[in-house]
Amino acid sequence: MTFAAPDGAFAGIADGKLPDGAYHCEAYLLGLFLNLGDITIKGNVYSGPSYGWPQQGYNYEMDSNGEIAWLGPLGGFTSGGNSVSLTQATADGPQDASFDIVMRQPDGAFTASTCTITAKQGQ
């Protein structure tokens, strides 16, 4: 028995990869949306977050439950005493892919942000 992949097959949680593209990250703080930059995903490599200038790429891994491990720095999420507590894929469709990042601040407080695909790779 053989199975064919449907036209337009894409990476997903089952494949351990997010769809390629730019993901815009925002946090909701004090009634305002705060722009945290864009993270670019291509294959199993990410760069950013950035505000438009090129960044070095690093590998990431995603388990079968959609939990993402960043294998390099993640801008302000991992600098100044901040650390990533958890990153969870929340949608893996090519048009609505997203993930949430929970960051622990130096004072012990947690901040959550959402990163949503805004441009698929090659568009």
Side-chain angles (χ1 to χ4, degrees), residues 39-55:
I39 296 174
T40 302
I41 302 284
K42 184 168 185 174
N44 66 340
V45 175
Y46 76 93
S47 61
S50 67
Y51 298 95
W53 57 87
Q55 299 281 317

Side-chain angles (χ1 to χ4, degrees), residues 88-108:
Q88 180 68 49
T90 53
D92 68 350
Q95 303 299 322
D96 67 347
S98 63
F99 52 89
D100 290 341
I101 299 174
V102 178
M103 177 183 70
R104 184 176 183 161
Q105 300 169 354
D107 64 3

Side-chain angles (χ1 to χ4, degrees), residues 3-118:
F3 295 93
D7 288 340
F10 60 91
I13 292 172
D15 299 325
K17 294 182 182 176
L18 292 163
D20 290 352
Y23 291 76
H24 181 70
C25 300
E26 293 182 328
Y28 187 74
L29 299 170
L30 303 172
L32 300 171
F33 286 99
L34 179 63
N35 175 8
L36 301 175
D38 293 339
I39 296 174
T40 302
I41 302 284
K42 184 168 185 174
N44 66 340
V45 175
Y46 76 93
S47 61
S50 67
Y51 298 95
W53 57 87
Q55 299 281 317
Q56 180 175 343
Y58 300 93
N59 289 337
Y60 76 92
E61 295 174 348
M62 184 166 55
D63 69 18
S64 60
N65 294 318
E67 189 171 331
I68 299 168
W70 307 105
L71 304 179
L74 197 61
F77 292 106
T78 58
S79 65
N82 296 326
S83 62
V84 173
S85 180
L86 172 74
T87 304
Q88 180 68 49
T90 53
D92 68 350
Q95 303 299 322
D96 67 347
S98 63
F99 52 89
D100 290 341
I101 299 174
V102 178
M103 177 183 70
R104 184 176 183 161
Q105 300 169 354
D107 64 3
F110 291 89
T111 301
S113 64
T114 298
C115 302
T116 305
I117 196 165
T118 57

